[in-house]
Amino acid sequence: MNALLLAAEGEAQPPLIPYIDELVIGLIAFVIVFGFLAKKLVPNINKVLDERREAIEGGIEKAESAQIEAQSVLEQYKAQLAEARHEAARLRQEATEQGTAIIQEMKAEGQRQREEIVAAGHAQIQADRKAAAASLRQDVGKLATDLAGKLVGESLTDTARQSRTIDRFLDELEEKAEAVR
């Protein structure tokens, strides 16, 4: 109204001062738009923001729980790996000990067999020596009595005397051989 009066008077209204009726209509329109935004749009925006915040927080919680679970699985894996390494070391140690024991047993068995073979060889040599000595005594005795009978001119057929004479002669030869050594 003031503007009408001023227009009627012929004076122009300054450009920076709004007309009162425009100011009232603008204020009413602003209150209507603000009320509409406050009643309809802001609750929807808040609802969407709350849902996003919950989704983000739920995602963070899920990520934290997944990280905790992954950490526990990693610790279990490390524990199992350490246990497997310990078991492998124990098995290697047992295998080494068993190998050493087997080697010792084989050495002892080889030593025992060698000693048996050497003892059997010595026994065989002693038996062969005794058999050869007995055979040699008989042969030498027979030859000596035959030779003595030819030298004397009569037969020395008494076997007991022949045997004593041969034994005494061979014993004397053995004593002389041992004295020389």
Side-chain angles (χ1 to χ4, degrees):
M1 272 209 223
N2 224 358
L4 289 176
L5 287 175
L6 285 175
E9 289 178 6
E11 289 182 21
Q13 183 172 348
L16 293 179
I17 298 176
Y19 295 109
I20 294 219
D21 52 350
E22 287 179 357
L23 188 61
V24 171
I25 291 174
L27 188 59
I28 291 172
F30 178 74
V31 169
I32 290 172
V33 170
F34 185 76
F36 174 74
L37 287 175
K39 292 283 182 188
K40 293 287 184 181
L41 198 55
V42 170
N44 286 339
I45 290 173
N46 285 337
K47 182 181 171 186
V48 169
L49 288 175
D50 288 340
E51 288 174 358
R52 264 185 113 180
R53 182 175 51 248
E54 288 175 8
I56 289 171
E57 288 174 357
I60 290 172
E61 289 173 2
K62 286 180 185 176
E64 287 174 353
S65 67
Q67 185 177 8
I68 290 170
E69 183 179 341
Q71 186 68 27
S72 68
V73 168
L74 178 64
E75 289 173 4
Q76 288 176 352
Y77 170 74
K78 285 181 179 179
Q80 288 175 349
L81 184 62
E83 184 179 330
R85 285 182 179 156
H86 179 69
E87 181 69 17
R90 185 185 64 79
L91 290 175
R92 275 194 307 269
Q93 181 65 28
E94 284 180 6
T96 302
E97 290 172 359
Q98 288 176 353
T100 304
I102 289 172
I103 289 171
Q104 292 298 326
E105 288 175 11
M106 293 309 238
K107 283 182 180 178
E109 179 66 20
Q111 184 70 20
R112 185 189 59 78
Q113 287 178 355
R114 183 184 70 84
E115 288 172 1
E116 286 178 1
I117 290 170
V118 168
H122 286 310
Q124 182 66 35
I125 289 172
Q126 286 294 351
D128 289 346
R129 178 184 278 164
K130 286 181 182 178
S135 175
L136 187 60
R137 276 183 180 253
Q138 252 182 356
D139 290 343
V140 168
K142 184 165 181 359
L143 289 174
T145 53
D146 287 345
L147 184 62
K150 287 182 182 179
L151 286 175
V152 173
E154 62 182 64
S155 174
L156 300 173
T157 56
D158 184 12
T159 54
R161 185 185 320 153
Q162 181 181 11
S163 181
R164 282 192 311 266
T165 306
I166 292 170
D167 287 337
R168 190 178 64 242
F169 175 71
L170 290 176
D171 288 337
E172 288 173 7
L173 282 179
E174 285 178 6
E175 287 174 8
K176 287 180 183 177
E178 286 180 10
V180 171
R181 287 184 197 175

